Amino acid sequence: PKMKEDHCLHAALLCLGVLCYSHGLATERLNHSRPSLHGHHEKGKEGQVLHRSKRGWVWNQFFVIEEYTGPDPVLVGRLHSDIDSGDGNIKYILSGEGAGIIFVIDDKSGNIHATKTLDREERAQYTLTAQAVDRNTNRPLEPPSEFIVKVQDINDNPPEFLHENYHANVPERSNVGTSVIQVTASDADDPTYGNSAKLVYSILEGQPYFSVEAQTGIIRTALPNMDREAKEEYHVVIQAKDMGGHMGGLSGTTKVTITLTDVNDNPPKFPQSVYQMSVSEAAVPGEEVGRVKAKDPDIGENGLVAYSIIDGDGMDMFEITTDYETQEGVVKLKKTLDYETKKSYSLKVEAANVHIDPKFISNGPFKDTVTVKIAVEDADEPPVFLKPSYVFEVQENAASGTVVGKVHAKDPDAANSAIRYSIDRHTDLERYFVINAEDGNIKTIKALDREEMAWHNISVFAVEVHKQHQEAKVPVAIKVVDVNDNAPKFAAAYEAFVCENARSNQQFITISADDKDDSANGPRFIFSLPPEIIHNPNFTLRDNRDNTASVLVRREGFSRQKQDLYLLPIVISDGGVPPLSSTNTLTIRVCGCDGSGSLLSCNAEAYVLNAGLSTGALIAILACIVILLVIVVLFVTLKRQKKEPLIVFEEEDVRENIITYDDEGGGEEDTEAFDIATLQNPDGINGFIPRKDIKPEFQYLPRPGLRPAPNSVDVDDFINTRIQEADNDPTAPPYDSIQIYGYEGRGSVAGSLSSLESATTDSDLDYDYLQNWGPRFKKLADLYGSKDTFDDDS
């Protein structure tokens, strides 16, 4: 508080001194500039007298100090004209910027005062215009003249930084004097007047770690080997002071947060010298065993660590990878372990930085090592086959019970339990094989055929006797070895054609053979003719020694008329041990050929026809025969139509028409509808109709007085005759009962809709209410009037 009072006192004294100085200077300038109203004469070069009139007043710039807070207005200056005699007839007028508001003038004396406090930082100068006029007439006595009032600066603005807070980074362990950041402040005071705007920078907080250049504001490191791991962030306060930093100057401050960025100056370090781990022998390769971690205080890429195994008896059994998210080394199983073989392993693991800064290589090797001891735990393991797979061979057609091979498995545990074997029947659906459960011998159950299946792939299970859940499985491939049990045959169903004009020794077909046996028992094939026909006069055979044979013509002059088909037996032998052979028959047809050897026909009948008639003549003959047959058929058909006309056109069947038009039927439910065929029953002509639904007790003979009714009788007579027969039949109603004519169906829930008998029935219905339905129902009411009225009318 005391220091603040001293600063205010110094500022007040300084302002008062500047004010007095400026007032005296302005008064002196005004007095010196007061013009004389008297003119003087000068001669020109040619002797002419020139008259020069002087200005009414001449003055320099006025000055007024800013931020004046006195009780009275500040006197800026005084205007006075030489023509002013002091009688008060001259009036001074002031106009321009701030006239009448900031600056006022005494119109009699010409004194100019500033009525308000001025701030140079808001406005540095004002331009005004002064003029002397006659007080009574306002007539300008002199031309107007401009002058400037300048606001004189004082140190009233402290320095201000561009930002209230700054943030900067600098690498740790930087050399002394390393530039961190430059801070800049500004002062609103006039830099051309005094030292009000001359700034000097200094550090208030942050020593001894940092320093600042007084003139530029650049912050630099002041201590060497600053360690980020010890302290990462620093807070520095910088001051900017005007007046060149002298006493009485104003100041401003800013805060700078400086962060030390990381460099790789620390090697990784394991927190312990030995790691203990364990893993079951049943673990599969790739399974995680454990983790190690070396600590590195550096961050980012400077703290990245890579792990590797550099030594130990478990280098082949284990591997280590780096988890870059947790910066841990993950020890994994590389191969399958066996507790019975080796119970523990030792590894030497190294952790090294990925990125090394050459500037800090002198700090030592950026890596560390640790020992990892891994104990193998015993596990109950399933049986293990001595081989991962088995391949056996057995000859086809071998007798049942033939030994194919033997598989063997053992219990790897110390208990060494007994093993039982079995075949997976899903792999041997036909049950060709069986295995001895005790010793693992595989035998055949039935004969094998290589041509049916050359390989049998089965699976054998091995389980411990006392632990059925411990099971192992091994694939067994059984190859069926071929024996020569299939004779060769023609590769296709051959049929050869030989021309009648074939030349002697002319080849007309090449044949080949096929053998189902393996190549060792198949080709090469040997072709030959049977001994009994080897000297036949028609054909011969030539073995080409490439598993094919050619058939040749031995003579000339074949004739289809004499023989058009030849059967040539051919013997084919294979190269097996012992060799097998078969006799195959080649069919050879004799055909007619043209001069170039192209086949024309292989049919003997066609050859005979060609001698008498041509093909065109044969076609013409066939066409004529077909036309004659069609004419005969049409003639017979037309004649039958004339002799037997249809009954519908020859005579009308009145009975059918009557039945059709008058049959009401029973609708969809009428399953006993009348059939006109009943009336046309030929048995009815004889006067006797047998019952088909029941067996009559005795045969009814027709009455002698009744005569048969021909087809041309009237329907009325015909029906009457049937009625008489029905009445006289003592057994039952006739088959064509007359009741069918009045049948309307059965099962109908509705009564009859007919009103023909409405007036004669004793109905209890009362239709008098129809009289109340209005004129529209008057006719209906009359038709269905009261019963009394109807009785009276009758």
Side-chain angles (χ1 to χ4, degrees):
K2 185 176 181 181
M3 184 179 295
K4 187 175 182 180
E5 291 178 359
D6 292 342
H7 287 170
C8 294
L9 181 61
H10 288 310
L13 293 176
L14 179 62
C15 293
L16 183 60
V18 173
L19 179 62
C20 294
Y21 175 76
S22 61
H23 183 268
L25 181 61
T27 304
E28 182 181 359
R29 288 178 177 176
L30 184 60
N31 293 333
H32 288 168
S33 63
R34 195 172 291 169
S36 174
L37 297 179
H38 301 285
H40 63 277
H41 304 282
E42 295 182 0
K43 285 188 178 181
K45 294 181 180 180
E46 289 87 4
Q48 182 182 2
V49 179
L50 300 176
H51 299 278
R52 185 182 68 179
S53 61
K54 295 183 179 180
R55 294 178 58 186
W57 57 75
V58 178
W59 60 84
N60 292 327
Q61 297 176 346
F62 289 156
F63 295 89
V64 60
I65 193 168
E66 67 169 338
E67 303 294 346
Y68 175 71
T69 57
D72 299 324
V74 178
L75 178 63
V76 179
R78 182 180 181 184
L79 301 179
H80 186 74
S81 177
D82 290 343
I83 61 175
D84 187 1
S85 58
D87 54 2
N89 291 329
I90 296 178
K91 180 182 178 180
Y92 295 97
I93 299 174
L94 185 65
S95 61
E97 298 174 346
I101 301 175
I102 300 176
F103 302 101
V104 295
I105 188 171
D106 188 342
D107 59 355
K108 291 183 180 181
S109 62
N111 290 334
I112 301 174
H113 292 83
T115 61
K116 293 185 177 181
T117 301
L118 301 180
D119 188 356
R120 188 200 68 83
E121 285 71 39
E122 292 183 2
R123 189 158 190 163
Q125 64 181 21
Y126 296 86
T127 301
L128 300 172
T129 302
Q131 190 175 20
V133 300
D134 187 273
R135 184 177 294 277
N136 297 322
T137 63
N138 287 331
R139 180 177 61 83
L141 301 179
E142 293 184 0
S145 181
E146 290 184 355
F147 65 95
I148 298 174
V149 177
K150 286 192 173 182
V151 182
Q152 195 170 16
D153 182 52
I154 64 172
N155 189 20
D156 60 341
N157 291 284
E160 293 184 357
F161 285 91
L162 299 180
H163 303 286
E164 184 178 355
N165 294 288
Y166 288 85
H167 295 274
N169 298 322
V170 63
E172 63 173 330
R173 299 190 181 277
S174 296
N175 296 327
V176 176
T178 301
S179 175
V180 179
I181 191 176
Q182 182 177 14
V183 294
T184 304
S186 60
D187 197 317
D189 293 326
D190 188 359
T192 63
Y193 181 77
N195 294 326
S196 298
K198 186 177 181 181
L199 305 181
V200 174
Y201 298 93
S202 61
I203 183 169
L204 301 182
E205 295 181 13
Q207 296 174 330
Y209 305 104
F210 300 95
S211 63
V212 64
E213 292 184 358
Q215 304 301 323
T216 61
I218 297 176
I219 301 175
R220 299 182 183 273
T221 57
L223 283 180
N225 298 325
M226 285 190 292
D227 191 3
R228 184 199 66 83
E229 287 73 31
K231 185 176 182 179
E232 184 176 4
E233 193 172 79
Y234 295 85
H235 298 281
V236 179
V237 178
I238 302 297
Q239 181 190 65
K241 189 174 184 181
D242 58 13
M243 299 298 293
H246 294 96
M247 186 178 295
L250 303 179
S251 64
T253 60
T254 186
K255 294 181 180 179
V256 182
T257 301
I258 301 175
T259 303
L260 297 183
T261 58
D262 185 59
V263 297
N264 191 9
D265 58 340
N266 296 283
K269 189 72 176 177
F270 284 104
Q272 58 196 68
S273 59
V274 178
Y275 284 87
Q276 299 286 347
M277 300 179 184
S278 61
V279 60
S280 172
E281 65 171 337
V284 297
E287 186 173 334
E288 180 178 330
V289 178
R291 294 185 174 225
V292 297
K293 184 175 183 179
K295 296 182 178 180
D296 191 331
D298 296 324
I299 60 176
E301 66 176 14
N302 296 318
L304 294 179
V305 179
Y307 297 88
S308 60
I309 300 175
I310 59 175
D311 197 5
D313 57 359
M315 293 183 64
D316 295 335
M317 306 301 295
F318 300 92
E319 61 182 356
I320 190 169
T321 59
T322 303
D323 187 346
Y324 287 102
E325 292 185 0
T326 61
Q327 291 298 303
E328 294 177 319
V330 183
V331 180
K332 295 182 179 180
L333 184 63
K334 189 176 181 181
K335 295 181 180 180
T336 303
L337 300 175
D338 186 6
Y339 173 82
E340 288 73 24
T341 303
K342 189 173 179 61
K343 296 179 176 57
S344 64
Y345 294 89
S346 178
L347 303 174
K348 188 175 183 180
V349 177
E350 179 184 80
N353 278 134
V354 177
H355 303 282
I356 300 177
D357 194 338
K359 294 188 297 184
F360 303 102
I361 196 68
S362 60
N363 290 5
F366 285 82
K367 57 186 177 181
D368 193 16
T369 59
V370 71
T371 300
V372 179
K373 293 184 177 181
I374 303 174
V376 181
E377 297 177 348
D378 189 20
D380 189 8
E381 300 174 87
V384 177
F385 283 94
L386 298 185
K387 295 181 180 180
S389 62
Y390 291 86
V391 178
F392 299 126
E393 292 184 354
V394 60
Q395 285 191 345
E396 68 172 326
N397 302 326
S400 176
T402 301
V403 177
V404 177
K406 181 179 180 179
V407 297
H408 183 67
K410 66 176 182 177
D411 182 10
D413 298 324
N416 194 18
S417 300
I419 306 298
R420 294 186 64 87
Y421 303 93
S422 62
I423 294 178
D424 183 3
R425 288 305 172 187
H426 294 91
T427 60
D428 186 25
L429 297 176
E430 300 295 332
R431 294 184 177 269
Y432 287 106
F433 306 97
V434 67
I435 189 170
N436 189 308
E438 304 295 335
D439 58 12
N441 277 322
I442 301 174
K443 297 180 181 180
T444 61
I445 300 178
K446 59 180 70 174
L448 305 178
D449 187 359
R450 189 204 68 86
E451 288 72 37
E452 181 180 345
M453 184 179 295
W455 284 88
H456 293 266
N457 297 303
I458 63 174
S459 297
V460 175
F461 291 114
V463 297
E464 296 182 14
V465 174
H466 302 294
K467 298 177 182 178
Q468 298 292 330
H469 65 281
Q470 295 292 356
E471 181 182 78
K473 185 177 181 180
V474 67
V476 178
I478 302 174
K479 180 182 179 182
V480 181
V481 179
D482 183 50
V483 296
N484 193 16
D485 58 346
N486 291 279
K489 298 179 181 180
F490 276 157
Y494 292 108
E495 186 175 9
F497 301 93
V498 63
C499 294
E500 290 180 309
N501 55 358
R503 299 185 305 274
S504 178
N505 293 327
Q506 179 181 346
Q507 175 183 334
F508 59 91
I509 189 173
T510 300
I511 58 175
S512 61
D514 189 14
D515 195 329
K516 293 182 180 181
D517 292 325
D518 197 5
S519 58
N521 293 316
R524 126 168 149 78
F525 299 123
I526 301 173
F527 299 86
S528 62
L529 294 177
E532 60 271 14
I533 65 165
I534 193 170
H535 298 293
N536 75 89
N538 299 319
F539 306 101
T540 184
L541 183 69
R542 182 179 63 202
D543 192 339
N544 297 326
R545 299 184 180 277
D546 58 355
N547 297 323
T548 64
S550 300
V551 182
L552 297 86
V553 176
R554 176 170 285 184
R555 66 179 177 84
E556 296 181 357
F558 288 92
S559 175
R560 282 182 290 170
Q561 291 179 333
K562 294 181 179 180
Q563 185 175 354
D564 62 343
L565 182 66
Y566 293 88
L567 299 178
L568 180 65
I570 298 176
V571 178
I572 307 176
S573 301
D574 59 20
V577 178
L580 294 180
S581 63
S582 66
T583 301
N584 301 266
T585 301
L586 176 63
T587 302
I588 304 174
R589 293 185 180 277
V590 180
C591 302
C593 303
D594 57 11
S596 61
S598 300
L599 294 178
L600 295 179
S601 175
C602 296
N603 197 332
E605 286 77 9
Y607 177 82
V608 176
L609 291 174
N610 286 338
L613 296 175
S614 64
T615 304
L618 291 174
I619 294 175
I621 293 172
L622 291 176
C624 292
I625 295 173
V626 171
I627 293 173
L628 290 175
L629 290 176
V630 170
I631 293 173
V632 171
V633 171
L634 290 176
F635 177 76
V636 172
T637 303
L638 293 175
K639 189 173 182 180
R640 291 184 62 184
Q641 289 181 353
K642 289 181 180 181
K643 284 185 176 182
E644 298 178 2
L646 295 175
I647 299 176
V648 177
F649 297 102
E650 186 172 302
E651 57 183 53
E652 295 184 356
D653 194 341
V654 180
R655 293 169 297 173
E656 286 193 29
N657 294 336
I658 293 175
I659 296 302
T660 301
Y661 295 145
D662 199 25
D663 182 18
E664 294 185 1
E668 295 180 358
E669 297 183 0
D670 187 3
T671 58
E672 301 177 5
F674 179 74
D675 188 358
I676 192 63
T678 303
L679 296 179
Q680 295 178 341
N681 188 352
D683 295 334
I685 300 176
N686 299 326
F688 171 73
I689 302 176
R691 290 297 305 272
K692 297 182 180 180
D693 53 348
I694 63 174
K695 183 177 181 181
E697 297 179 358
F698 60 90
Q699 185 70 30
Y700 173 72
L701 298 176
R703 297 180 63 184
L706 297 177
R707 58 181 178 87
N711 289 338
S712 61
V713 298
D714 187 70
V715 174
D716 186 49
D717 296 336
F718 182 83
I719 292 176
N720 291 330
T721 303
R722 288 289 187 266
I723 292 175
Q724 292 178 8
E725 293 176 355
D727 292 339
N728 297 323
D729 187 358
T731 57
Y735 177 75
D736 51 342
S737 175
I738 197 64
Q739 63 180 340
I740 198 168
Y741 292 102
Y743 180 70
E744 292 187 0
R746 57 187 176 184
S748 175
V749 297
S752 175
L753 299 179
S754 175
S755 61
L756 298 178
E757 300 177 357
S758 298
T760 60
T761 58
D762 296 333
S763 175
D764 295 335
L765 296 179
D766 186 6
Y767 297 99
D768 291 341
Y769 61 87
L770 296 176
Q771 301 291 340
N772 301 327
W773 284 15
R776 292 187 178 182
F777 298 91
K778 185 177 183 302
K779 187 67 175 178
L780 186 62
D782 293 341
L783 292 175
Y784 294 89
S786 62
K787 185 183 299 184
D788 297 338
T789 304
F790 179 81
D791 294 339
D792 294 342
D793 292 342
S794 58

